Amino acid sequence: VFINNAQVIVADLLAENGVVHVIDAVLVPELGEPLPATVVDIIVGSAIHITLETAVIAAGLVDDLSGTGPFTVFAPTDAAFAALPSGLLDELLADPQGTLAQILLYHVVSGAALSTSLSDGQVIATLQGEDVLVTINMDGVFINDAQVIVADILAENGVVHVIDAVLTIPTSVIEQNSLIGSVYPNPANEVLNIVIPSAHNQASYQVFDVTGSMILQGTFNQTNFELNVSDLPSGIYSIRLMNDRKILVQNFIKS
């Protein structure tokens, strides 16, 4: 009689609370697959993170994310990057250690934030400096507007959560969306239409790129105003409208 590879040499030594069998070897449990060393190894080994791997390498973040950590990475899939406006990814890769690096760092959190430690309404600071918001509801777990589709992929230096969208860095100012109005079309090509109920007092606008940097600003005194965005590179932007001390903020895509 063998237990694994150990032979039973004395059997059935009875006690009031059980039985003992003497064996001639120490049993060693079969260990599972060792954890990947780093969160970068998880990304590199993933068939759905080819674009993210390329971006991390181009941005020079491999050594940083291979450090002791721990790190939590919210990892957009290839499909998430493909959903960005046409040409945007190429523009980001053209300056990988600038805007691209900032966007990638917005997907990384210091510490190992397992799904069991996340809570609805939790605000977490990223390595980029801005916060992400955790939302947990009947539809699932969301980081800002991106859904977590695979959670808790562990590495020795942290954890990776797979998300279905690229996170957009918010503007660095505190906003209160109290101004009623609309901004369209979205995506926009040549002109962005701005409609607010009243602009008898001079209204103003500010446009921010994905890094939170203001790139356009101006004023208008019409309830219907056309903002020329034809010179903007394709990408994701945020427009901030201010009128009578009220504020409206809306994201839009320049195609």
Side-chain angles (χ1 to χ4, degrees), residues 103-114:
I103 292 174
L104 293 176
L105 290 174
Y106 186 60
H107 290 73
V108 184
V109 172
S110 178
L114 297 175

Side-chain angles (χ1 to χ4, degrees), residues 38 69 95 97 103 165 167 178-179 255:
T38 71
D95 181 24
Q97 298 188 3
I103 292 174
L167 303 179
S178 57
L179 175 64
S255 61

Side-chain angles (χ1 to χ4, degrees), residues 13 19 55-56 64 73-74 78 85 88 93 97 101 128 146 152 170 174 180 183-185 202 204:
L13 302 178
V19 60
V56 168
D64 295 324
V73 177
F74 301 111
D78 291 337
L88 176 58
L93 288 170
Q97 298 188 3
Q128 182 272 337
D152 298 336
I174 298 175
I180 298 174
V183 177
Y184 69 93
Q202 195 172 62
S204 62

Side-chain angles (χ1 to χ4, degrees), residues 152-182:
D152 298 336
I153 306 175
L154 296 176
E156 291 182 4
N157 77 335
V159 59
V160 172
H161 304 295
V162 180
I163 56 176
D164 66 354
V166 178
L167 303 179
T168 302
I169 303 175
T171 59
S172 58
V173 292
I174 298 175
E175 309 293 0
Q176 297 181 3
N177 298 339
S178 57
L179 175 64
I180 298 174
S182 61

Side-chain angles (χ1 to χ4, degrees), residues 22-196:
V22 180
I23 57 177
D24 65 355
V26 176
L27 302 180
V28 178
E30 292 185 6
L31 300 178
E33 290 293 324
L35 292 178
T38 71
V39 291
V40 174
D41 292 327
I42 292 175
I43 294 169
V44 171
S46 171
I48 60 172
H49 288 103
I50 306 302
T51 305
L52 181 59
E53 175 189 350
T54 300
V56 168
I57 294 172
L61 296 177
V62 171
D63 289 343
D64 295 324
L65 296 180
S66 298
T68 304
F71 303 105
T72 298
V73 177
F74 301 111
T77 61
D78 291 337
F81 279 102
L84 293 174
S86 177
L88 176 58
L89 182 59
D90 290 337
E91 292 177 13
L92 293 173
L93 288 170
D95 181 24
Q97 298 188 3
T99 302
L100 178 61
Q102 292 300 306
I103 292 174
L104 293 176
L105 290 174
Y106 186 60
H107 290 73
V108 184
V109 172
S110 178
L114 297 175
S115 61
T116 53
S117 68
L118 300 177
S119 59
D120 185 39
Q122 182 179 2
V123 176
I124 310 175
T126 69
L127 294 189
Q128 182 272 337
E130 298 288 345
D131 297 335
V132 292
L133 173 66
V134 179
T135 301
I136 302 175
N137 55 36
M138 294 181 62
D139 295 324
V141 178
F142 296 82
I143 307 301
N144 291 353
D145 294 325
Q147 186 169 10
V148 176
I149 54 178
V150 181
D152 298 336
I153 306 175
L154 296 176
E156 291 182 4
N157 77 335
V159 59
V160 172
H161 304 295
V162 180
I163 56 176
D164 66 354
V166 178
L167 303 179
T168 302
I169 303 175
T171 59
S172 58
V173 292
I174 298 175
E175 309 293 0
Q176 297 181 3
N177 298 339
S178 57
L179 175 64
I180 298 174
S182 61
V183 177
Y184 69 93
N186 192 7
N189 187 10
E190 300 289 333
V191 172
L192 194 65
N193 295 287
I194 300 171
V195 180
I196 59 176

Side-chain angles (χ1 to χ4, degrees), residues 176-181 194-206 218-223 240-249:
Q176 297 181 3
N177 298 339
S178 57
L179 175 64
I180 298 174
I194 300 171
V195 180
I196 59 176
S198 174
H200 58 276
N201 293 328
Q202 195 172 62
S204 62
Y205 65 86
Q206 296 173 333
T219 59
F220 61 97
N221 55 9
Q222 305 163 259
T223 56
R240 181 177 189 253
L241 304 177
M242 295 158 287
N243 185 38
D244 292 332
R245 297 184 179 180
K246 294 182 178 181
I247 297 173
L248 169 67
V249 177

